[in-house]
Amino acid sequence: MLVKNLLEKPETKSPRKTYGETLVELGGKNLNIVVLDADLSCSTQTAMFKKAYPERFFNCGIAEQDMITTAAGLAYGGKTVFASTFAMFATTRCLDQIRNTVCYSKLDVKIVATHGGITVGEDGASHQALEDVSYMRSIPDMRVIVPADCNEVRQVIEYAARTPLPMYIRIPRTNLKNIFDKDYKFNPNAGIKLRDGKDLTIVTNGETLYEVLSTAQKLHEVGIEADVLHYPVVKPFHHLALKASAQKTKKVVVVENHSVIGGLGSAVCESLCHYAPSKVYRIGTKDTFGQSGEQRQLMEFYGLTDKKIYEKIIKFMDVR
Amino acid sequence: MKTFTNAVRKDILKMIHNAKSGHPGGACSCVDILSVLYKKVLNVPVEWANAVDFKNRDRFILSKGHASPALYAVLAHCGYFSKDLLMGFRILGSKLQGHPSSRVGLPGIEVSTGSLGQGLSIGVGMALAMRLDNIKSKVFVLMGDGEMQEGSVWEALMNANNQKLKNLVVIIDKNNLQIDGSTNDVKTLEPLDKKLEAFGFNVKTVDGHNFEELEKVLLDAKKSNELTAIIANTIKGKGVSFMENNVSWHGKAPNDEELKKALEELC
């Protein structure tokens, strides 16, 4: 399932490019697919779809509220709709439209947002969506997916295209390291265990999965064995894998490139308090805004690199 | 037609009285527009989703969703569903939600609205989908004038023009009042006609309570190959003397005595 020598020489690929390529492939097979963007098509890579199928691409200009509600209208008209812009503008700017028009009427609109998380980088706080998963997760009938590598991005977009429900799919600006090999099958109905341990459970998704796998290896080297659970589907949250792991380890760490408020960490806590009360430590950006900086430096500053996660977990394990 | 609209207005007031809440002013201002649309203009099968030709229907969007009792009453009086359902308006478990809901599924209700400023973008999306599918019917969107203060409305107007839509008709129920007072005092829209023209619309202004004028302008718009906006000058609370042009009736239910008085006026 995992690529060989993952932690030694990882290859990387742009998830945005993968998104664009997948849209073009799907658009060729399914003439019902339409794509919208809000003046960021060259960045989100929906421009690839525009080039292939210009009559099925609609640029709504710098008007995200209009884009989301136009997407809703197209879905009312029977279309399978993908709408893209940066995560910051795709969620905060048009939260009302997403809630009251897309989700309330359970429309076939997939919001594929790029530039999720702190790793937007130099553009700084105004462009770093750290709360988007939280907003989206709180809306009834919304599905929220945060894939971790380009293989998974492709499968998630394919799943979205054949599932006529509102969906929020978050991908980062950064290139993602290739984690999954060709045998990996995205399962929308389960969290997936990628490493087996007895001492603690680490839950993550998105771009921090690679960091967590690296952290788990470092922990192994000092005799701490971690269960690593990948939860690309944050909502609906499928508790079984988490429950089984937490009942075994009794200690859970959640790592995400998102605020510790309302994201995967919160979903894990909500699930555990019901199914398997455990000690939980949430690693993510605190209750704060981001700032400008180089991507890796930001990851380091906000404690999301393998090294920082390792240090935090060692402290957490001492607390036991 | 007058008999029809009187019956509709009476039901609207009874529904709101029964629910002890609702929006009589903005509902009564658009009754005549809705009645002409459904009786003379729109091709929407009364069998609704069971109709063979359902996909070729005209689409109607009530963007000013708080006027829902007017739409419900017109639909019921046109036979889309039983008039017996009307008194369920705003009652727990009813399909006649406070604002129109496509989620709960009531025949005749195309889309969910209520949060203002979204119906026009939905209409643009629907019109685009119909154009892609080569469906020749039209999308009609009824908006409130106060609603046009929402910025997203102007995004949608820009988009409609940019997409060169020929299958979209925008109707503005211009009653000049909003909850906090006159639209001119709160945040003026004027000159609305010139603004719409500047956004690429063929603008027609009519008396929104004159059946003949409404029928002509709406049928013309239906035939037209131009993006059309119809400004219908209306009176908030039309039909009930003490409600007319009185902003306090924007969102208030009549009590027993007020209902009795209003129903007498509508005989």
Side-chain angles (χ1 to χ4, degrees), chain B residues 8-19:
Chain B
V8 166
R9 282 192 169 90
K10 280 197 268 188
D11 270 345
I12 290 170
L13 297 170
K14 285 189 215 163
M15 288 158 73
I16 295 173
H17 169 262
N18 186 55

Side-chain angles (χ1 to χ4, degrees), chain B:
Chain B
M1 192 58 101
K2 186 76 183 168
T3 319
F4 182 87
T5 56
N6 271 351
V8 166
R9 282 192 169 90
K10 280 197 268 188
D11 270 345
I12 290 170
L13 297 170
K14 285 189 215 163
M15 288 158 73
I16 295 173
H17 169 262
N18 186 55
K20 298 188 177 66
S21 72
H23 299 82
C28 286
S29 71
C30 66
V31 165
D32 300 325
I33 300 167
L34 288 171
S35 300
V36 171
L37 274 170
Y38 276 92
K39 287 189 81 74
K40 306 278 188 182
V41 180
L42 296 177
N43 170 28
V44 179
V46 79
E47 308 83 12
W48 192 237
N50 298 322
V52 185
D53 206 23
F54 187 57
K55 78 176 172 64
N56 289 323
R57 73 195 180 283
D58 289 317
R59 269 64 163 181
F60 175 74
I61 298 170
L62 182 69
S63 190
K64 47 173 287 184
H66 56 282
S68 59
L71 179 58
Y72 295 147
V74 167
L75 289 173
H77 281 262
C78 287
Y80 290 87
F81 53 83
S82 166
K83 281 186 254 185
D84 296 343
L85 295 181
L86 289 177
M87 290 306 141
F89 176 57
R90 287 181 171 242
I91 306 293
L92 184 65
S94 167
K95 290 189 174 184
L96 281 71
Q97 291 287 298
H99 295 81
S101 166
S102 63
R103 184 182 173 99
V104 299
L106 180 70
I109 300 299
E110 288 280 358
V111 307
S112 306
T113 52
S115 178
L116 294 173
Q118 299 185 33
L120 187 55
S121 292
I122 297 174
V124 169
M126 278 185 162
L128 289 170
M130 286 158 69
R131 188 166 77 182
L132 282 172
D133 291 341
N134 207 20
I135 293 169
K136 297 296 181 199
S137 38
K138 291 233 172 188
V139 180
F140 291 77
V141 182
L142 178 62
M143 315 195 49
D145 53 349
E147 178 183 14
M148 305 211 56
Q149 289 162 354
E150 291 279 4
S152 57
V153 169
W154 301 89
E155 296 179 0
L157 291 166
M158 220 185 291
N159 206 14
N161 183 42
N162 185 59
Q163 296 292 347
K164 301 181 174 59
L165 288 176
K166 293 175 175 169
N167 53 352
L168 178 73
V169 180
V170 183
I171 309 157
I172 296 143
D173 172 13
K174 191 167 182 292
N175 61 33
N176 300 311
L177 290 174
Q178 57 190 113
I179 303 180
D180 272 358
S182 115
T183 46
N184 276 334
D185 290 341
V186 176
K187 192 178 193 184
T188 187
L189 298 156
E190 302 304 340
L192 185 57
D193 52 351
K194 294 204 167 47
K195 283 177 183 165
L196 291 165
E197 276 166 16
F199 274 67
F201 281 73
N202 178 24
V203 181
K204 304 280 181 192
T205 303
V206 295
D207 175 350
H209 300 302
N210 182 313
F211 302 125
E212 289 74 27
E213 269 189 50
L214 280 169
E215 184 176 344
K216 181 173 187 314
V217 79
L218 287 165
L219 284 174
D220 284 351
K222 192 176 177 179
K223 277 181 246 142
S224 167
N225 258 335
E226 282 182 279
L227 202 47
T228 307
I230 297 165
I231 299 175
N233 287 313
T234 59
I235 294 166
K236 195 153 182 159
K238 172 75 177 176
V240 180
S241 60
F242 58 90
M243 290 185 180
E244 285 190 4
N245 279 323
N246 182 346
V247 77
S248 72
W249 286 99
H250 172 88
K252 185 173 76 169
N255 61 27
D256 294 350
E257 200 178 316
E258 288 159 342
L259 177 70
K260 188 165 170 271
K261 204 172 149 205
L263 294 180
E264 282 166 7
E265 287 189 20
L266 288 164
C267 277

Side-chain angles (χ1 to χ4, degrees), chain A residues 281-292:
Chain A
Y281 178 38
R282 289 168 298 146
I283 299 175
T285 51
K286 302 294 180 197
D287 185 12
T288 185
F289 295 102
Q291 59 179 310
S292 293

Side-chain angles (χ1 to χ4, degrees), chain A residues 29-308:
Chain A
K29 288 181 253 177
N30 182 351
L31 302 181
N32 216 32
I33 290 177
V34 299
V35 177
L36 291 83
D37 208 300
D39 195 43
L40 288 169
S41 64
C42 296
S43 194
T44 64
Q45 299 291 330
T46 58
M48 292 162 85
F49 187 91
K50 179 192 179 179
K51 195 174 169 206
Y53 316 107
E55 71 288 353
R56 281 188 278 145
F57 176 84
F58 304 102
N59 200 330
C60 293
I62 309 169
E64 293 80 10
Q65 299 173 60
D66 183 47
M67 174 180 74
I68 292 297
T69 330
T70 303
L74 280 152
Y76 268 124
K79 299 296 167 190
T80 296
V81 190
F82 285 83
S84 289
T85 179
F86 291 178
M88 175 58 73
F89 315 125
T91 56
T92 39
R93 187 58 145 268
C94 35
L95 193 54
D96 182 344
Q97 283 79 2
I98 296 171
R99 181 193 185 276
N100 284 316
T101 297
V102 173
C103 292
Y104 180 64
S105 298
K106 281 182 103 164
L107 296 173
D108 189 4
V109 174
K110 295 84 170 56
I111 301 167
V112 182
T114 69
H115 294 61
I118 196 74
T119 43
V120 165
E122 292 79 355
D123 278 341
S126 64
H127 284 54
Q128 287 159 331
L130 304 179
E131 310 89 23
D132 55 323
V133 171
S134 174
Y135 300 142
M136 293 298 103
R137 203 171 68 85
S138 66
I139 304 175
D141 284 325
M142 182 57 118
R143 279 152 196 265
V144 181
I145 310 182
V146 186
D149 87 338
C150 287
N151 178 339
E152 191 168 61
V153 167
R154 174 177 301 276
Q155 295 193 48
V156 166
I157 299 301
E158 288 166 355
Y159 162 73
R162 64 176 184 266
T163 311
L165 291 168
M167 226 172 267
Y168 179 71
I169 299 166
R170 184 209 215 208
I171 58 182
R173 178 187 173 208
T174 39
N175 287 351
L176 288 172
K177 299 183 176 76
N178 293 343
I179 293 173
F180 299 110
D181 67 16
K182 62 177 172 40
D183 296 328
Y184 173 70
K185 290 273 178 294
F186 165 69
N187 182 350
N189 300 312
I192 179 172
K193 188 191 281 194
L194 297 177
R195 187 170 175 126
D196 201 44
K198 60 182 184 346
D199 301 322
L200 86 154
T201 302
I202 314 179
V203 187
T204 189
N205 63 20
E207 119 187 83
T208 46
L209 174 58
Y210 185 84
E211 304 299 327
V212 164
L213 288 168
S214 173
T215 303
Q217 181 60 30
K218 289 181 201 297
L219 290 167
H220 165 73
E221 285 160 14
V222 296
I224 299 171
E225 303 301 337
D227 255 4
V228 173
L229 302 183
H230 172 40
Y231 262 85
V233 182
V234 184
K235 188 184 180 185
F237 193 85
H238 299 284
H239 69 276
L240 290 178
L242 174 66
K243 180 184 172 188
S245 180
Q247 282 177 339
K248 177 179 66 176
T249 66
K250 309 281 194 295
K251 284 184 295 298
V252 178
V253 174
V254 188
V255 183
E256 59 188 319
N257 185 354
H258 183 276
S259 167
V260 291
I261 299 172
L264 179 64
S266 295
V268 164
C269 289
E270 289 157 18
S271 180
L272 286 178
C273 75
H274 188 72
Y275 292 108
S278 315
K279 193 168 175 59
V280 183
Y281 178 38
R282 289 168 298 146
I283 299 175
T285 51
K286 302 294 180 197
D287 185 12
T288 185
F289 295 102
Q291 59 179 310
S292 293
E294 186 274 329
Q295 292 170 342
R296 194 70 194 169
Q297 286 177 353
L298 285 165
M299 288 279 277
E300 191 82 9
F301 185 87
Y302 289 96
L304 297 172
T305 56
D306 51 354
K307 181 168 155 270
K308 291 286 185 185

